[in-house]
Amino acid sequence: MGEFELIGRLFRPLAEATRQDGLLLGPGDDCAIQRVPPGQDLVFSVDTLVEGIHFPLRYDPELLGWRALAVAVSDLAAMGADPVCYTLALTLPEADEARVGALVTGLRDASLSFGLALAGGDITRGPLTLTLQVHGTVPQGQGILRSGARPGDLVAVTGPLGGAAAALDWLDAPSPPESARPLLDCYHHPIPQVDLGRQLRGVASAAIDISDGLAADLGHILAASGVGARLKAAAIPRQHGVAEATLEQALYGGDDYQLCVTLPAGELARLPGDVASKLHVIGEICRAEGLYLQHADGPRESLVPGTGYDHFKYQ
């Protein structure tokens, strides 16, 4: 099957099934056309996923379709944006209709779940690689940035961490125990926190999605804001499965796609209960630069390295 057959038989129906009002023109022309309503800002982000680096070799293509779009949409969630559409540049080693069809199924399910239209893209031959650019909108001036954290702000996360990192031990297991399913679901089926991101517009002083690990991603907020933070180890929620994810996995594991947010304590108290209950307060922003961790066994405190995954460091 050739490039244009793949587009016609698999990707054009995907575009039709995921059509959104904000996308005036989808696949078929040299460019797509997105209309940004008055009073809205356009926000966009791009992610590239490479086989053997960002997902395992011969990974289930339906899971890959979901995961690829979820990872990209998580960036929109961190900005408090409303998703609109995305483009897909797909590099394939071969035009295997069954595998590409399964990939499209995963993309379609994720597209419908997150409310995005496929606006267009490109297909070429080479090592399996997906590049997705996601577009969204946010009320003018209300995008949540990394640079707004201030001393005294609370630090919170939107859910348990470390599950995807703990799942790595079970990805190749032929028959993982049932107790490993919650961990594997964290890896295979991440859920970007789009609704919660919207609800935090005008409330959160800063936000980021946790893709490279809490320490690294919170470190980006601290660097952009010129502040530090003190966290309580016992307050960091960790995913349960075969066993509870370790503190190290929660701090450094990555691939969680929860949000890390900062907000004034008074704002937390004013949030509706169903929103506030989803925020796990794990620490506080301080003036002294650096990320410090108060250990669960007492007042002992240590400086946490703010390092995460580096594509050129880890081979």
Side-chain angles (χ1 to χ4, degrees), residues 23 51 71 89 146 177 181 196 221 228 246 254 259 270 294 298 306:
L23 183 66
E51 185 177 36
V71 166
R146 299 178 181 182
R181 296 294 174 189
L196 194 49
I221 288 180
T246 66
L259 301 182
R270 284 190 285 271
Q294 181 182 331

Side-chain angles (χ1 to χ4, degrees), residues 130-142:
L130 298 87
T131 296
L132 298 95
Q133 179 158 308
V134 289
H135 285 209
T137 60
V138 66
Q140 206 165 67
Q142 291 190 33

Side-chain angles (χ1 to χ4, degrees), residues 27 30 37 56 88 94 125 128 139 141 156 158 161 168 176 184 189-190 199 217 231 238 250 260 277 283 310:
D30 290 322
L88 169 66
E94 57 183 345
R125 184 176 180 180
L128 181 57
T158 59
L161 308 178
L168 297 179
L184 289 166
H189 205 255
Q199 292 167 320
D217 291 315
L231 305 183
R238 290 181 264 161
C260 176
S277 66
D310 184 321

Side-chain angles (χ1 to χ4, degrees), residues 6-289:
L6 280 177
I7 292 171
R9 291 177 60 172
L10 297 176
F11 288 97
R12 203 172 296 279
L14 171 60
E16 289 296 326
T18 60
R19 187 175 295 277
Q20 296 285 330
D21 290 342
L23 183 66
L24 300 188
L25 182 67
D29 270 81
D30 290 322
C31 295
I33 300 176
Q34 178 184 350
R35 176 164 293 166
V36 180
Q40 298 282 314
D41 289 331
L42 172 66
V43 294
F44 52 92
S45 176
V46 65
D47 277 293
T48 295
L49 288 80
V50 180
E51 185 177 36
I53 302 294
H54 300 98
F55 55 91
L57 299 172
R58 302 299 292 178
Y59 187 53
D60 182 306
E62 186 171 337
L63 294 176
L64 176 59
W66 177 284
R67 180 176 165 78
L69 189 55
V71 166
V73 171
S74 186
D75 289 326
L76 296 181
M79 296 288 288
D82 296 299
V84 176
C85 61
Y86 67 101
T87 58
L88 169 66
L90 179 62
T91 304
L92 296 167
E94 57 183 345
D96 183 327
E97 184 177 3
R99 289 188 65 80
V100 178
L103 174 73
V104 167
T105 296
L107 284 169
R108 183 196 62 212
D109 291 347
S111 300
L112 295 173
S113 180
F114 310 145
L116 286 91
L118 176 64
D122 187 39
I123 298 177
T124 190
R125 184 176 180 180
L128 181 57
T129 304
L130 298 87
T131 296
L132 298 95
Q133 179 158 308
V134 289
H135 285 209
T137 60
V138 66
Q140 206 165 67
Q142 291 190 33
I144 308 172
L145 310 183
R146 299 178 181 182
S147 55
R150 297 293 179 262
D153 284 355
L154 302 176
V155 179
V157 294
T158 59
L161 308 178
L168 297 179
D169 292 335
W170 303 99
L171 286 184
D172 295 326
S175 299
E178 191 61 32
S179 56
R181 296 294 174 189
L183 304 178
L184 289 166
D185 199 44
C186 290
Y187 184 90
H188 294 314
H189 205 255
I191 307 295
Q193 301 298 302
V194 174
D195 289 340
L196 194 49
R198 291 189 191 105
Q199 292 167 320
L200 291 172
R201 291 194 301 233
V203 176
S205 53
I208 191 169
D209 76 318
I210 302 174
S211 56
D212 294 325
L214 174 63
D217 291 315
L218 175 54
H220 295 319
I221 288 180
L222 303 183
S225 300
V227 295
R230 284 188 161 83
L231 305 183
K232 294 182 178 180
I236 298 173
R238 290 181 264 161
Q239 181 66 49
H240 289 271
V242 177
E244 185 178 62
T246 66
L247 179 61
E248 183 177 15
Q249 288 168 332
L251 284 171
Y252 304 111
D255 278 338
D256 291 305
Y257 302 105
Q258 297 291 340
L259 301 182
C260 176
V261 304
T262 65
L263 71 167
E267 293 290 349
L268 178 63
R270 284 190 285 271
L271 283 172
D274 62 331
V275 178
S277 66
K278 297 173 184 174
L279 296 179
H280 304 259
V281 176
I282 61 172
E284 185 174 306
I285 297 295
C286 59
R287 293 187 184 280
E289 294 188 6

